[in-house]
Amino acid sequence: DIFPVGPKRSLDHIESYFKEQGLNEMVQHVRSQRASNNRKLFVSRIKLFVNDDEYNTSELSAYIKEAIEQGKVTQVYAIQILFSAIANSGDWASSDIIQDDFYKELKQYFTLFKGIVKTHKLQIEFMNKIQEFCYDNINFLKTFQKVIFMLYHANVLEEDAIVEWYKSAHSNRGQTEF
């Protein structure tokens, strides 16, 4: 038995076994599979939290913080997926005009965003992810400015980060639109 049932069946043991055998490509494959599975699980759980009214933001916050601390996802990936899940969760996702319901829904998550997006660099990354999302989803193109404005007033984004994003740190995707 190469991988018997029990503690030797853990991913860490599998990685060490392949390393001992000189199969570093397999180690990389196992790691990439693990990372891919973690991201898929994270996305499905975030969608579940956002779409199901039984969950509250404190449970969602705890899950996101745990996933980040365990190294399953990065902070940037977490905020990107959370924003996308919120934006795609309501009736507004298929509507030509984004309704006020979207902004009300988004407001519920400001404290969560504030808890994740603490640094200047993360604030700029967050704005870039919002920019790219709005550019990729044409229905949200005109919401970008209002979303950034709302995040600024909720103290999620700082003025310095917004100015730096505007002057030099913006994403090239949709640069002319925003």
Side-chain angles (χ1 to χ4, degrees), residues 127-173:
M127 286 186 280
N128 281 329
K129 295 304 177 187
I130 295 171
Q131 175 189 350
E132 290 170 4
F133 177 85
C134 291
Y135 181 72
D136 291 341
N137 298 281
I138 197 144
N139 295 347
F140 287 91
L141 239 136
K142 296 184 185 203
T143 65
F144 178 77
Q145 291 174 341
K146 186 168 183 175
V147 168
I148 298 300
F149 183 76
M150 290 171 60
L151 290 167
Y152 171 72
H153 278 287
N155 294 322
V156 176
L157 300 175
E158 296 172 357
E159 183 177 348
D160 294 342
I162 296 171
V163 170
E164 183 179 335
W165 171 86
Y166 179 76
K167 287 183 177 178
S168 61
H170 54 269
S171 173
N172 290 332
R173 290 176 56 202

Side-chain angles (χ1 to χ4, degrees), residues 8 30 56 64 82 85 89 91 93 95 101 106 130 140 160 164:
K8 289 189 174 187
V30 168
N56 59 36
I64 290 174
L82 179 59
S89 68
D91 295 334
S95 175
D101 293 343
L106 189 60
I130 295 171
F140 287 91
D160 294 342
E164 183 179 335

Side-chain angles (χ1 to χ4, degrees), residues 81-92:
I81 296 304
L82 179 59
F83 183 81
S84 296
I86 295 165
N88 291 321
S89 68
D91 295 334
W92 52 80

Side-chain angles (χ1 to χ4, degrees), residues 1-122:
D1 267 344
I2 295 175
F3 303 114
V5 176
K8 289 189 174 187
R9 200 168 195 171
S10 73
L11 290 173
D12 294 330
H13 182 337
I14 292 170
E15 280 184 17
S16 67
Y17 175 80
F18 285 129
K19 268 187 183 174
E20 288 171 7
Q21 301 302 317
L23 299 170
N24 291 330
E25 294 84 16
M26 285 300 292
V27 172
Q28 280 304 113
H29 177 70
V30 168
R31 284 184 183 159
S32 66
Q33 261 191 328
R34 183 189 309 181
S36 176
N37 289 340
N38 285 340
R39 285 191 301 272
K40 285 179 187 177
L41 178 64
F42 183 79
V43 169
S44 65
R45 292 283 309 269
I46 294 298
K47 286 180 181 177
L48 179 69
F49 275 113
V50 169
N51 292 323
D52 196 343
D53 293 334
E54 291 181 26
Y55 296 105
N56 59 36
T57 54
S58 62
E59 291 173 302
L60 176 59
S61 176
Y63 175 71
I64 290 174
K65 285 179 183 176
E66 180 184 325
I68 291 170
E69 287 170 2
Q70 291 177 354
K72 293 181 178 179
V73 295
T74 63
Q75 291 174 313
V76 174
Y77 187 75
I79 57 175
Q80 174 187 4
I81 296 304
L82 179 59
F83 183 81
S84 296
I86 295 165
N88 291 321
S89 68
D91 295 334
W92 52 80
S94 60
S95 175
D96 288 340
I97 300 172
I98 304 301
Q99 301 152 348
D100 288 338
D101 293 343
F102 167 68
Y103 301 114
K104 289 177 187 173
E105 180 77 16
L106 189 60
K107 274 185 184 180
Q108 295 177 12
Y109 296 94
F110 282 176
T111 55
L112 182 57
F113 284 130
K114 193 174 185 177
I116 298 171
V117 186
K118 294 179 181 176
T119 67
H120 186 77
K121 182 181 177 188
L122 279 173

